[in-house]
Amino acid sequence: MNRLPLIVLTILVSGGLATAAGLLLIARPSSGATETRGAPSRCLTVGPAEPNQGMVWVPAGDYAEGDTVYPEEGPVIPAHVRGFWMDRHEVTNAQFAAFVAATGYVTQAERPVDRATHPGLPADMLEPGAVVFSMPKTVDDTQDISQWWRYLPGANWRHPAGPGSSIAGHENYPVVEVTHADALAYARWARRALPTEAEWEWAARGGERRASMDHDQPANANTWQGVFPVMNSGEDGFVGLAPSGCYPANRYGLYDMIGNVWELTADVFRPRHDAGDDPNRAPTRDAAGAQYVIKGGSFLCAPNYCARYRSGSREGQEADLAASHVGFRTILRAPGPPAASGPTS
């Protein structure tokens, strides 16, 4: 039985089965986003001009951060966030392409892996690349996740399923195969920021103060219907990745906060909310690799293996490992619109 290389195993070992369940989601459909007859008829519609184009206002609020489904989600703690602007939808391929065209930026998946920070890797994993998914016909052992995903040289944001794949015709899909550093570079170019874990979770709640309201698999989100990883009925309209903004927005006007792609945040991942270390300290580049918090689950979340399609769910994503189920959106910490009700802090 093939085992996974160190760059991926380091993510899985620390959290046991619960962590392995989440990292099974480092995946993508083998042939891009495959739509079914039940797909929503309209996606990513453009609304009226906003004070900060493409963003909506998230008011300040107090809530109970965290959840109780998996150990890393606890304990539930009181949290307060100030008001901020947030992208209505995940950053798209078209938006990321504009950033690359303006700056000449090269993503981490397009560069060779740093041998110093990841010693002992096989030769193919030192080549530029990212993690991709292929749905297996059968699974012999659910602990052996190499049966449905692998590191593929040549996979990156332009070629999310590897060489020969393309984002042509998928400009309004979320950009994937980007790392935390890539997302941060885009945010800085746009004069914005990545949300903290607390900001992201409050925005995803849409005003709900407790997470218990969203424990069921959502009907209006892109998740996995069926038995992961061998069967997906596509009842939600998509077997793979969906364009941004296909499902109804939440009460703040935000699309796809749950499902479609996991979203990167600014916070360094710690196993629990009550960890003694500062959760926002600079990561260390050791053999295990730094991890950042990702939120919201993805199109690969299923009840039988990962019920992380919830606002309170959280996982750690290795800082320099690009994955096809991970994207991001940005925020802007600025005064709210004149009609915004309530305090901003």
Side-chain angles (χ1 to χ4, degrees):
M1 183 185 306
N2 294 331
R3 309 312 298 177
L4 295 175
L6 177 64
I7 194 171
V8 175
L9 282 177
T10 53
I11 311 176
L12 300 176
V13 170
S14 62
L17 181 59
T19 299
L23 268 295
L24 287 172
L25 301 179
I26 296 183
R28 87 172 320 276
S30 58
S31 59
T34 305
E35 300 180 25
T36 73
R37 288 186 297 175
S41 60
R42 297 182 66 188
C43 300
L44 195 63
T45 56
V46 178
E50 297 131 348
N52 294 297
Q53 186 64 41
M55 308 187 92
V56 297
W57 176 248
V58 178
D62 296 280
Y63 73 104
E65 182 182 1
D67 209 337
T68 58
V69 178
Y70 292 109
E72 74 276 3
E73 299 168 0
V76 176
I77 57 173
H80 171 79
V81 294
R82 298 178 178 179
F84 57 93
W85 295 90
M86 191 174 220
D87 291 336
R88 290 190 302 134
H89 53 77
E90 299 134 341
V91 172
T92 65
N93 286 319
Q95 290 173 311
F96 198 79
F99 155 64
V100 171
T103 64
Y105 184 82
V106 178
T107 64
Q108 286 192 280
E110 297 171 280
R111 310 174 212 161
V113 175
D114 188 343
R115 294 172 182 264
T117 57
H118 296 291
L121 289 177
D124 63 330
M125 289 200 70
L126 293 172
E127 297 179 38
V131 179
V132 300
F133 173 88
S134 180
M135 186 187 299
K137 293 182 179 179
T138 61
V139 172
D140 295 328
D141 177 8
T142 55
Q143 298 302 303
D144 180 13
I145 62 180
S146 66
Q147 294 173 96
W148 54 86
W149 71 272
R150 64 194 176 107
Y151 184 88
L152 185 61
N156 55 56
W157 75 275
R158 301 178 193 270
H159 309 289
S165 66
S166 172
I167 59 172
H170 291 76
E171 289 79 8
N172 286 341
Y173 283 62
V175 64
V176 294
E177 306 290 21
V178 290
T179 66
H180 187 270
D182 301 332
L184 190 60
Y186 174 93
R188 287 171 173 165
W189 171 75
R191 298 183 179 180
R192 298 175 182 175
L194 295 181
T196 65
E197 178 178 359
E199 287 170 331
W200 192 100
E201 189 166 329
W202 172 242
R205 296 278 180 87
E208 293 288 346
R209 300 190 181 276
R210 301 196 65 83
S212 59
M213 303 297 291
D214 63 4
H215 278 190
D216 295 333
Q217 186 173 18
N220 291 310
N222 187 17
T223 59
W224 185 286
Q225 289 85 50
V227 180
F228 184 85
V230 296
M231 189 277 289
N232 185 352
S233 69
E235 292 177 13
D236 61 10
F238 294 89
V239 173
L241 193 65
S244 294
C246 290
Y247 301 92
N250 72 7
R251 289 197 294 176
Y252 290 151
L254 298 165
Y255 294 91
D256 300 317
M257 292 297 284
I258 303 300
N260 214 25
V261 294
W262 284 94
E263 298 187 16
L264 287 156
T265 73
D267 288 1
V268 174
F269 180 78
R270 295 291 180 265
R272 289 176 62 81
H273 284 138
D274 61 347
D277 294 333
D278 178 0
N280 294 306
R281 71 180 184 182
T284 56
R285 300 299 298 241
D286 54 22
Q291 297 181 36
Y292 283 88
V293 175
I294 53 177
K295 299 283 289 180
S298 80
F299 63 93
L300 293 167
C301 272
N304 73 297
Y305 218 89
C306 174
R308 287 182 169 86
Y309 32 64
R310 296 170 288 105
S311 62
S313 68
R314 62 195 299 268
E315 264 294 350
Q317 173 68 18
E318 189 168 356
D320 55 3
L321 179 64
S324 56
H325 75 319
V326 176
F328 70 100
R329 73 181 76 206
T330 67
I331 67 167
L332 177 65
R333 299 183 182 98
S341 59
T344 60
S345 62

